[in-house]
C-alpha cells in the first residue's frame, strides 16, 4: 500500500483543552497519540498548528498596529509547534519543527526540500510561523504547505464536530451533515471550514480537504485507512449523508 502524505491543520485552541488558554498537557498528549498512531501506520504527516490558544492578531488590531499583532500570532504558533513536538517525542515519534520565521535555536528554517526529505524518512514535520506573512492565517499556511509538499489531502481537524453541517448541529436538530461539498459550496454559503483565502488556494490547485473530528479516538487512522469519515471538499458536487 502506498503511504499517504497528508497535511494536518490543528487549531491552537486544541492544545489548550478545557482551559481555553495556553497548553494543557492532556489535550496535547491526546493529539500526539492520534498523530503517532497515523505515523505507525506508515503514513507521512506534516502538521500546521495555529495559535488561537495564545493570540489572534485580529483581536489586537484595534489597539496595535495590525501587522505587528499578526507577527505576535506567528511567534505564538512556534510555541505550539514546539509543545506538540515535545508530546510526540515523548511517544518516540521523530519530528522536526520548521518555522517560517527564523529562530534557529528552536526550529529549523522552512526549507521545502528538507521538509520533503524528513517526510520520506518518516518524521513528522511541524510547520510553525504560519506563512511568515501578516494578514494571513494558519489555514492558508496549511493550504500553502500542503501544495508545496505535494500532499494528497489537507485534513482540517475539528474538535467534537464530525464534519460540516448545514447549520449548527448543537442548536438545530434538523442540521444535516455533508458527506461531500464542492469548494464553491463552501465559499458561497460561508460555511465554517477554513477561511476563504485558504479554500480558494485549494480550489485553484484541486487540493482535496477533509473536515473531521480529531478528538474521536482512532478517527485520524480510520480516515487515512480510507473510511468515509467527516466531510470531503473537492470539485465534486454536494452530497449529504443519508439519515
Ligand atoms: N498569522 C499570520 N500569518 C500567518 C499565520 C498566522 O499573521 O500566515 C497570525 C494571525 O495573527 C493569526 C495568528 O497568527 O490570528 C494565529 O493563527 P490562527 O488565527 O490561524 O490560529 P488558529 O485559529 O488556527 O489557532
Amino acid at each position: 500500500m502506498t503511504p499517504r502524505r497528508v497535511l494536518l491543520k490543528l487549531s491552537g485552541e486544541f492544545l489548550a483543552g478545557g482551559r481555553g488558554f495556553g497548553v494543557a498537557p492532556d489535550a496535547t498528549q491526546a493529539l500526539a497519540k492520534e498523530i503517532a498512531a497515523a505515523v505507525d501506520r506508515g503514513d507521512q504527516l506534516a502538521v500546521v498548528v495555529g495559535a488561537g490558544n495564545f493570540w489572534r492578531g485580529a483581536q489586537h488590531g484595534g489597539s496595535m498596529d495590525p501587522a505587528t499583532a499578526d507577527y505576535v500570532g506567528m511567534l505564538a504558533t512556534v510555541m505550539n509547534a514546539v509543545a506538540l513536538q515535545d508530546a510526540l517525542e515523548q511517544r518516540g515519534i521523530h519530528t522536526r519543527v520548521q518555522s517560517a520565521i527564523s529562530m534557529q535555536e528552536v526550529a529549523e528554517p522552512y526549507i521545502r526540500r528538507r521538509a520533503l526529505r524528513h517526510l520520506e524518512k518518516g518524521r513528522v514535520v511541524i510547520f510553525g510561523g504560519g506563512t511568515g506573512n501578516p494578514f494571513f492565517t494558519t489555514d492558508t499556511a496549511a493550504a500553502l504547505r500542503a501544495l508545496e509538499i505535494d500532499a494528497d489531502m489537507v485534513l482540517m481537524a475539528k474538535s467534537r464536530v464530525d464534519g460540516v453541517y448545514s447549520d449548527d448541529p448543537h442548536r438545530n436538530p434538523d442540521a444535516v451533515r455533508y458527506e461531500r461539498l464542492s469548494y464553491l459550496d463552501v465559499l458561497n454559503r460561508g460555511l465554517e471550514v477554513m477561511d476563504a483565502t485558504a479554500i480558494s488556494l485549494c480550489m485553484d490547485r484541486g487540493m482535496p480537504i477533509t473536515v473531521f473530528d480529531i478528538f474521536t479516538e482512532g478517527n485520524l487512522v480510520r480516515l487515512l485507512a480510507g473510511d468515509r469519515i467527516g466531510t470531503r471538499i473537492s470539485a465534486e458536487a454536494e452530497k449529504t449523508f443519508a439519515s
Side-chain angles (χ1 to χ4, degrees):
M1 193 206 65
T2 338
R4 308 191 82 188
R5 178 179 293 167
V6 293
L7 187 300
L8 175 67
K9 163 70 207 302
L10 298 176
S11 294
E13 65 189 275
F14 297 170
L15 278 72
R19 287 186 193 175
F21 185 83
V23 174
D26 54 345
T28 312
Q29 283 158 15
L31 289 166
K33 187 175 170 206
E34 298 304 309
I35 295 170
V39 175
D40 288 343
R41 233 186 68 90
D43 292 309
Q44 297 182 7
L45 263 96
V47 182
V48 165
V49 62
N53 54 327
F54 285 122
W55 188 276
R56 282 204 177 88
Q59 287 166 356
H60 299 267
S63 55
M64 278 178 80
D65 166 55
T68 305
D70 277 346
Y71 273 103
V72 177
M74 286 186 264
L75 296 176
T77 67
V78 182
M79 293 200 281
N80 283 334
V82 172
L84 184 64
Q85 175 177 47
D86 182 78
L88 283 165
E89 288 189 339
Q90 285 184 31
R91 294 193 156 265
I93 301 294
H94 297 283
T95 66
R96 294 289 187 276
V97 174
Q98 289 203 343
S99 173
I101 295 177
S102 285
M103 44 180 102
Q104 59 190 7
E105 283 76 9
V106 292
E108 291 182 2
Y110 172 63
I111 299 173
R112 175 176 167 266
R113 283 169 184 275
R114 188 180 279 185
L116 289 169
R117 187 86 185 104
H118 290 322
L119 290 168
E120 284 160 4
K121 287 187 169 177
R123 298 171 184 147
V124 174
V125 182
I126 307 169
F127 295 118
T131 62
N133 298 288
F135 309 113
F136 287 96
T137 63
T138 52
D139 287 357
T140 301
L144 178 65
R145 296 291 184 242
L147 290 167
E148 289 189 271
I149 63 167
D150 197 21
D152 298 317
M153 206 191 302
V154 175
L155 304 181
M156 283 299 290
K158 298 285 166 187
S159 171
R160 295 170 230 294
V161 51
D162 57 352
V164 185
Y165 283 77
S166 57
D167 197 1
D168 183 345
H170 300 297
R171 275 188 247 149
N172 180 357
D174 297 327
V176 287
R177 182 158 63 100
Y178 297 108
E179 181 178 347
R180 283 199 316 250
L181 278 169
S182 74
Y183 302 110
L184 282 175
D185 290 328
V186 175
L187 283 171
N188 291 338
R189 293 185 218 164
L191 296 171
E192 282 180 32
V193 172
M194 66 205 303
D195 63 64
T197 311
I199 286 277
S200 303
L201 195 51
C202 290
M203 181 167 74
D204 285 351
R205 297 278 162 178
M207 171 63 68
I209 305 159
T210 298
V211 181
F212 75 110
D213 178 8
I214 194 155
F215 286 104
T216 296
E217 212 175 319
N219 241 5
L220 177 59
V221 162
R222 282 195 289 276
L223 176 55
L224 290 166
D227 284 12
R228 288 193 311 167
I229 281 178
T231 301
R232 187 182 162 96
I233 298 154
S234 65
E236 284 178 59
E238 167 184 333
K239 186 180 170 207
T240 52
F241 275 98
S243 48

